[in-house]
Each structure stands twice: as C-alpha cells, then as structure tokens.
C-alpha cells in the first residue's frame, strides 16, 4: 500500500529517494511520485511503477539535497497522475499514507479564495489547509500543528515548506513512520525496510507528535507546539540484501517451494526433540499469564483470518478455554466482551495491517493481554503487543500469502502444545508428526506436474466452489481466496455440510467443485458431499490420497495429498497443493501473479 520515503542531507537526493521507493514496491501500489527542492518545489508523478516514474524525473534538479517520495495505492480517487502524491503548491508539498476521515468537512472550512484542487484526494485538503494557515501564521510548525489537531482518521504524513527549505515536518497517528540518521543526513519512511541501507537504528515517534527533520537535527513536538524528548532509537536487524526470485518465475512459486525448509527450521527452532517438548521460552509463554486467561480471541484479516479459524478450534479443543476467531475489523467495531481475562492473539504476516492494529489498540484499552504471531519483528504490531512469536519464514514478497499462512498454523500448534504440555507427558506422537511434516510437504511439491496438469484442464472455468469439513473448511476458504486473488476467477469456500443449504443450486456441469478430502474424522461426510455434487453433474476435483478407493470411485481428477494423523498439520499439508493449483491456473490466465490488480501486500488503511 502507500509508502513514504524522504531525505534531508548533504548529497543529491533524487536517486536516494527513488531507490527508497523501490524498497517500498513490494507493498503494492498503482502510482508514484517524487518532490525535490532546489530554489523551487519540483515534482514528478506518474501512474504505474517507479520505472514508469523515472523518465518524468529527468527535469528535476540533480543537485537538490532535500525531498520526499511516495507510492500510492488508490483509496480516494482513481489511480491517476493527478491523484498521485506529492500534492503541492509553490509554497508546500505533502505526501500522505492513510485516510483523513473528516476530509469532506475540512474541505468545507477552506475559504474558497482561488483554491483550485488538482486531485480528488483527501490529502490535498490537508495541503491547502496548511498553506492557508501559513498565510495568517508564518511559522510552519504552528500552521502545521494547527491543522494536525483537526484531522480525524489514521495517517502518516510529511510536509515540505518553501519558506523553510531545510526542514521536513512529519506527523503520524496510527500508521507507522520510522526515522533514521544516515551519513550527514536524516531520512524517514513508512517502512524501516526502506531505510535499512542507511542505518540499523530507528526512531518511532509516538502518535500525534510532530518530528521536524533536517540534515543535522531532529526535534519532536506535540500538537500544541510543546517540545518533547526524542524517542530512544531502537536497533533492528532489518534485512538489507536484495531478495530475488532465484530460478523461479514468480516470488509466489519460490515461496510455495520454500515451505518444506521453512517449516523444518521452525520445528527445530521451537521444538526440543531431546526433551520431546516445545521450547516454551521461545514461544513467548513467560510473557503471557495463561492462568488469568478465560477466553481467547484470535484475530486477523484475509489469509491470517483463515489461520485464526484453524487456530481457535484447536485451542478450544486442546486447552478447554473458550476460543473464537474473528476478522479484526469486526471485533474492533462491535461491543465485544473484552477484559483482563481475555487473551487476544493477532495473526499478521506484515504486522502493519491497519484493521488488525486498530483492533489490538482497542483490546489493549480494555485490559486484554495481547500476543502477536507475526513475520516482521520490527513492525508496529510486534512493537505493540505484550508478547511476540516471530514466524521466521523469511520475507514474503508475493502478495498472495503462502509460507506465512502455513508457518502461522505450525506456530500456533506449537504454542498450544507448549501451554498444554507444561505438566504433561513427553509428546512422543507429536514429535513423530513434526518430523514427518516437512517430508510430506516435499512429497506434495514433487507432485507439481500433476497439479499443473489439473489446473490446465480447468483453464476455461469461470467459477469454482471449494468444500471442506473440520480443519479442511478454513482450507477451502483459504484456497478459494488464493484462487480469486491471483487468477481473478470467482471462487467460494463452503463447509461441506452447507452445500445443501443453498450453494448446491449452483451445481451443473460448468461448476467445478474442489473437495478437500484428507483421511480424517470427517472423511466419510465430505465424500458424501462430493457424491451430492457428482449426482448433479458437477465436476468433482478431489484433494486427497490417490490410493484411496472411495476417492477413486468418485472422480478421476485427484490432486495428490498425503495423510498425517494430526488435524492442524493435515491442514498445512492440504494448503500447499491448493496454493500450487491457484498458481498454475493464474499462470494459464496470464495475470500479474506477484502483484495482482488492486491488491497490496501490506494493507495499511482501515
Ligand atoms: C493473502 O493472500 C492476502 N494478500 C491478504 O488476505 C492478507 O492475508 C491480509 O491482508 C492480512 O495481511 P497480514 O497477514 O499482513 O496482516
């Protein structure tokens, strides 16, 4: 989603800023822009990628030493060059992430003398308000803070003023902004990853504060203009190496294939095979008071929510504590029963999902304990929660989440075992299954050719239904989401038992139904559901053990998936072939698999 990068220093900064924007590209965006100052505000913007912006920057000063850039994911107004940031006038320029909720109301307060809006964005309203405030109050800090006090919503933004050309004014509320010192320079970005080649020490200013940034100095103020002590810099190990696709055609395919190794590494990191127990200290158990927990709520969005669905059922069964999964934005805005006996677990690959962050803020204000299971130890979520378990699955670049999903499920499994096994017998059977899991993932990855051929067979399909029961139901939801995201084929996931309550009306020979059918407690029931589809001429694609006689009697089209006698681990094994199925169907359709249309890797608006 939107990303901000800025620089004030001693070196020509245009290429520093465009290089910073490239580091933000993985988040997903649809337009980009850059501003530098060299006796005048100079701006270039364009739709598309940073590469599409570069030809437009040739007229910008190559010796300017202060400036900022932006990657935009359209929220207010279409993806056009006019709506791209920076927005500017000769007096000032602004870049902004987030949404100003009261922009319409604020726009009405602008006296309309000669203000010609160039865009449809909420951001431009802020620009004109500050420029107008500057006319009666020439101190940029006072003008800027007077407008910041009026803003509602979540934002991270930065402004440059031609009347104060060595400084940039930065403010945030709810959305991340990191500041770093470089060589004779200060830099800022919405993502520390973009700053990592300049420094490993980052300051994270608190909500509703203003940082005034210049080459050799930083100052922090509140919205009343009172100076505050600067936040202590945090040293973070943010990866600086360039992540490439290796020999894979897409990041998504590479990330699918990494799963065997990533899961094996996490198993060995978190499970002590000598003691036959999870390593409780590495699963953050010492930071959570489980004695106090009477209710667990597991939240996330999209794929992370599907992991939450699996996690909640397993927790309730194993820990005998009421456990519920909920999409973070729904829990945030209802009158949920939350108190100091509630443990909120936030699942998030990025740790920057605004919906999840605001849910956690809300839960903390109600006294809940909070645990993050997250792939990004330097993210806002990781820094906000009481405890963190890192996914440690390496950067996930493909917008469609794959290895982060399976790793989240594995880590929850180990966390629950750790809670449960504090006084229990050694976990011999679990240890056996954990040893087996990476081998089964490798087995699935070795069946790629078969999966690719089934996908090719269905390249004309316009709709898909996925069904599953028990732990395979969230897998049906997740696999349908994967297919939608990257192939743009309409797909829905249902619990097998739901078919007869409505969706069965959709079944005919044009409706392929993918049946997630591992050999588990639900097997005979899901086979019966597949039979109902077959009886109505639906095309049945089975995911299961190809040696199984019942499955072979139902359909010739079987995507091979081995059995493992543990429901959560079985869900992980089932997810992988269906990630590949979605990938190969998308390949047939020729879509932009790593950066599908309209989607962003990090969804930083509510
Ligand atoms: C997954 O394929 C999606 N791109 C999306 O649903 C994602 O899982 C969701 O936006 C949540 O992201 P997070 O895990 O980074 O919080």
């Amino acid at each position: 989603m939107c990303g901000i990068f800025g620089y004030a220093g001693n070196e020509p900064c245009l290429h520093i800023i465009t290089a910073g924007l490239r580091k933000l590209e993985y988040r997903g965006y649809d337009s980009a822009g850059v501003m530098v100052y060299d006796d005048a505000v100079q701006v270039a913007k364009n739709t598309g990628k940073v590469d599409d912006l570069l030809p437009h920057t040739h007229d910008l000063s190559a010796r300017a030493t202060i400036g900022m850039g932006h990657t935009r994911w359209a929220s207010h107004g279409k993806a056009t060059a006019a709506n791209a940031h920076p927005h500017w006038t000769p007096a000032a320029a602004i870049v902004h992430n987030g949404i100003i909720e009261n922009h319409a109301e604020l726009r009405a307060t602008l006296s309309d003398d000669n203000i010609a809006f160039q865009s449809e964005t909420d951001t431009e309203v802020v620009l004109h308000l500050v420029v107008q405030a500057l006319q009666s109050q020439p101190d940029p800090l006072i003008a800027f803070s007077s407008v910041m006090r009026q803003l509602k919503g979540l934002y991270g933004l930065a402004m440059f003023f031609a009347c104060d050309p060595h400084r940039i004014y930065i403010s945030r509320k709810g959305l991340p902004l990191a500041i770093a010192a470089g060589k004779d320079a200060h830099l800022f970005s919405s993502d520390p990853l973009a700053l990592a080649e300049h420094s490993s020490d980052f300051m994270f200013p608190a909500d509703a504060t203003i940082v005034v940034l210049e080459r050799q100095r930083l100052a922090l103020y509140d919205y009343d203009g009172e100076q505050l002590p600067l936040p202590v810099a945090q040293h973070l190990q943010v990866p600086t190496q360039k992540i490439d696709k290796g020999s894979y055609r897409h990041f998504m395919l590479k990330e699918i294939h990494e799963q065997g190794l990533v899961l094996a590494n996490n198993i060995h990191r978190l499970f002590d095979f000598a003691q036959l127990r999870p390593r409780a200290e590495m699963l953050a158990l010492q930071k959570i008071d489980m004695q106090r927990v009477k209710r667990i709520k597991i939240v996330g969005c999209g794929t992370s929510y599907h992991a939450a669905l699996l996690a909640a059922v397993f927790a309730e069964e194993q820990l005998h504590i009421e456990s519920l999964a909920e999409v973070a934005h729904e829990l945030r805005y209802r009158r949920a029963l939350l108190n100091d006996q509630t443990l909120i677990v936030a699942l998030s690959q990025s740790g920057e999902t605004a919906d999840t962050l605001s849910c956690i803020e809300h839960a903390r204000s109600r006294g809940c304990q909070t645990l993050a299971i997250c792939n990004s130890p330097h993210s806002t979520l990781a820094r906000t929660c009481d405890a963190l378990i890192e996914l440690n699955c390496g950067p996930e670049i493909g917008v469609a989440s794959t290895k982060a999903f399976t790793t989240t499920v594995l880590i929850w499994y180990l966390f629950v075992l750790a809670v449960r096994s504090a006084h229990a017998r050694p976990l011999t059977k679990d240890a056996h299954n954990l040893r087996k899991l990476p081998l089964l993932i490798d087995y699935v990855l070795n069946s790629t050719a078969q999966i690719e051929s089934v996908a090719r067979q269905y390249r004309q399909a316009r709709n898909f239904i996925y069904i599953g029961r028990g732990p395979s139901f969230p897998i049906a939801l997740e696999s349908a989401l994967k297919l939608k995201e990257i192939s743009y084929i309409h797909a829905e996931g249902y619990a097998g038992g739901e078919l007869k309550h409505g969706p069965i009306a959709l079944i005919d020979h044009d409706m392929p139904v993918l049946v997630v059918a591992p050999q588990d407690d639900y097997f005979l029931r899901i086979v019966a559901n597949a039979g109902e589809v077959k009886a109505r001429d639906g095309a049945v694609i089975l995911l299961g053990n190809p040696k199984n006689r019942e499955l072979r009697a139902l359909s010739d089209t079987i995507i091979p998936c081995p059995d493992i006698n543990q429901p959560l681990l079985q869900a992980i094994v089932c997810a992988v072939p269906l990630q590949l199925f979605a990938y190969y169907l998308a390949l047939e359709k020729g879509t932009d698999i790593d950066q599908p249309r309209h989607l962003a890797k990090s969804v930083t608006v509510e």
Side-chain angles (χ1 to χ4, degrees):
M1 260 192 180
C2 298
I4 289 177
F5 186 92
Y7 175 94
N10 224 5
E11 287 182 47
C13 65
L14 184 55
H15 71 283
I16 299 176
I17 297 169
T18 50
L21 293 184
R22 282 191 191 285
K23 295 270 166 60
L24 299 170
E25 287 194 296
Y26 81 96
R27 298 157 68 97
Y29 66 111
D30 42 46
S31 53
V34 62
M35 164 262 147
V36 294
Y37 183 81
D38 184 5
D39 284 337
V41 174
Q42 303 175 12
V43 172
K45 345 196 245 183
N46 200 12
T47 52
K49 307 287 179 194
V50 175
D51 274 345
D52 303 307
L53 170 70
L54 291 183
H56 298 261
T57 63
H58 292 158
D59 294 337
L60 302 192
S61 166
R63 53 175 205 182
T65 57
I66 189 164
M68 51 199 194
H70 190 261
T71 50
R72 175 173 186 259
W73 183 85
S75 60
H76 280 76
K78 291 190 169 165
T80 61
N83 287 336
H85 302 204
H87 296 286
W88 66 291
T89 71
I94 184 170
V95 290
H96 160 225
N97 290 353
I99 289 177
I100 307 300
E101 286 170 2
N102 56 338
H103 69 101
E105 189 187 309
L106 289 173
R107 188 184 272 250
T109 69
L110 274 169
S111 56
D112 54 5
D113 19 80
N114 300 323
I115 294 175
F117 278 88
Q118 307 292 323
S119 75
E120 305 154 88
T121 63
D122 50 345
T123 310
E124 202 186 348
V125 175
V126 181
L127 170 74
H128 292 303
L129 281 170
V130 181
V131 169
Q132 200 166 73
L134 265 182
Q135 284 159 14
S136 49
Q137 174 44 259
D139 180 341
L141 178 61
I142 298 177
F144 184 68
S145 54
S146 71
V147 175
M148 292 304 107
R149 282 197 296 271
Q150 301 173 51
L151 303 185
K152 292 198 180 127
L154 300 180
Y155 53 85
L157 56 84
M159 282 196 80
F160 171 86
F161 301 101
C163 62
D164 191 11
H166 302 295
R167 299 194 177 97
I168 295 176
Y169 292 72
I170 301 160
S171 185
R172 65 170 285 269
K173 198 167 135 210
L175 294 188
L177 266 175
I179 317 274
K183 194 168 152 270
D184 211 1
H186 278 113
L187 302 97
F188 61 96
S189 177
S190 44
D191 189 336
L193 200 74
L195 300 172
E197 71 179 69
H198 302 275
S199 178
S200 305
D201 297 312
F202 305 92
M203 277 182 212
F204 297 97
D207 265 1
T209 55
I210 294 171
V211 177
V212 181
L213 173 145
E214 56 189 297
R215 176 166 70 95
Q216 285 180 314
R217 191 170 168 268
L218 291 174
L220 185 75
Y221 300 89
D222 66 17
Y223 281 176
D224 292 321
E226 286 297 317
Q227 188 155 4
L228 304 170
L230 285 171
V232 178
Q234 298 181 28
H235 186 76
L236 301 177
Q237 300 290 346
V238 182
T240 50
Q241 76 278 22
K242 191 169 166 4
I243 304 149
D244 63 32
K245 294 188 272 225
S247 56
Y248 292 96
R249 193 156 166 191
H250 292 97
F251 279 109
M252 182 183 176
L253 189 60
K254 176 175 177 246
E255 287 155 8
I256 291 172
H257 278 266
E258 280 169 359
Q259 290 176 108
L261 188 61
V262 161
L263 293 169
N265 286 344
N266 267 305
I267 289 167
H268 287 283
R269 179 173 73 100
L270 300 170
F271 193 87
D272 183 342
F273 282 97
Q275 301 292 321
L276 295 175
R277 287 182 193 291
R279 297 183 208 275
E281 71 291 352
M282 295 183 72
L283 288 154
L285 263 200
Q286 73 284 16
K287 297 198 177 150
I288 303 283
D289 179 2
M290 283 305 296
Q291 299 295 338
R292 198 157 37 102
V293 176
K294 299 276 181 291
R295 197 177 306 111
I296 301 176
K297 292 200 185 279
I298 310 178
V299 299
C301 301
T303 289
S304 291
Y305 168 64
H306 297 150
L309 287 171
L310 285 164
V313 171
F314 187 64
E316 189 161 293
E317 283 175 4
Q318 299 293 319
L319 304 177
H320 305 290
I321 300 175
E322 182 189 299
S323 305
L324 262 177
E326 198 160 336
V327 273
H329 35 95
E330 287 296 320
L331 182 61
R332 165 67 186 86
Y333 290 106
R334 71 180 181 88
R335 283 192 217 110
L337 191 57
L338 301 173
N339 56 34
D340 62 357
Q341 298 183 327
T342 315
L343 171 65
I344 300 276
V345 183
L347 307 182
S348 175
Q349 187 285 129
S350 64
E352 298 297 353
T353 300
D355 288 317
T356 307
L357 290 175
S358 97
C359 176
I360 285 296
E361 282 298 332
H362 175 65
R364 284 172 68 83
S365 74
R366 299 293 182 87
C368 304
Q369 295 189 75
T370 52
L371 165 66
I373 300 183
C374 175
N375 200 27
S376 179
H378 50 77
S379 63
T380 311
L381 183 72
R383 283 182 280 115
T384 308
C385 287
D386 299 321
L388 162 74
I389 312 174
E390 263 185 69
L391 291 187
N392 240 32
C393 66
E396 191 179 68
I397 305 295
V399 162
S401 187
T402 51
K403 61 178 179 173
F405 173 73
T406 49
T407 309
T408 302
V409 177
L410 171 75
I411 286 186
W412 183 254
Y413 169 71
L414 293 169
F415 175 81
V416 170
L417 288 192
V419 176
R420 206 193 65 185
S421 74
H423 311 288
R425 283 170 297 161
L427 303 171
T428 314
K429 202 171 134 219
D430 295 279
H432 170 73
N433 283 330
L434 285 167
R435 279 210 173 88
K436 202 167 147 192
L437 178 70
L439 304 176
L440 298 189
I441 302 296
D442 287 344
Y443 168 90
V444 168
L445 294 171
N446 285 333
S447 324
T448 295
Q450 226 169 316
I451 299 169
E452 190 177 354
S453 127
V454 179
R456 213 172 298 128
Q457 218 177 305
Y458 283 91
R459 64 173 172 270
Q460 305 296 351
R462 295 167 62 93
N463 300 288
F464 270 88
I465 288 178
Y466 286 68
I467 58 171
R469 283 178 173 255
S472 299
F473 169 42
I475 295 304
L477 294 174
E478 169 56 12
S479 307
L481 175 69
K482 220 83 299 169
L483 186 67
K484 281 187 261 224
E485 280 187 295
I486 60 168
S487 71
Y488 316 147
I489 295 172
H490 174 237
E492 297 302 333
Y494 291 102
E498 268 308 281
L499 258 194
K500 59 186 175 299
H501 295 288
I504 205 162
L506 297 169
I507 305 297
D508 62 16
H509 60 272
D510 279 337
M511 178 60 85
V513 179
L514 203 148
V515 183
V516 185
Q519 188 81 45
D520 60 10
D521 292 348
Y522 303 85
F523 180 71
L524 291 178
R525 291 185 185 280
I526 197 73
V527 163
N529 294 139
E532 290 159 10
V533 174
K534 204 177 164 199
R536 287 161 182 83
D537 289 334
V540 174
I541 307 168
L542 295 162
L543 178 82
N545 188 336
K547 295 197 187 121
N548 188 291
R549 222 177 308 131
E550 277 105 332
L551 293 187
R552 285 212 311 266
L554 267 170
S555 171
D556 292 339
T557 315
I558 301 185
I559 296 179
C561 182
D563 297 318
I564 181 167
N565 193 13
Q566 203 301 313
L568 270 199
L569 302 187
Q570 181 70 71
I572 293 175
V573 177
C574 289
V576 179
L578 297 181
Q579 295 166 350
L580 284 168
F581 181 66
Y583 174 82
Y584 283 110
L585 256 173
L587 202 62
E588 288 291 329
K589 308 277 287 183
T591 54
D592 186 352
I593 291 181
D594 282 336
Q595 292 192 353
R597 67 183 183 201
H598 312 324
L599 296 181
K601 186 66 188 161
S602 198
V603 183
T604 52
V605 290
E606 270 198 73

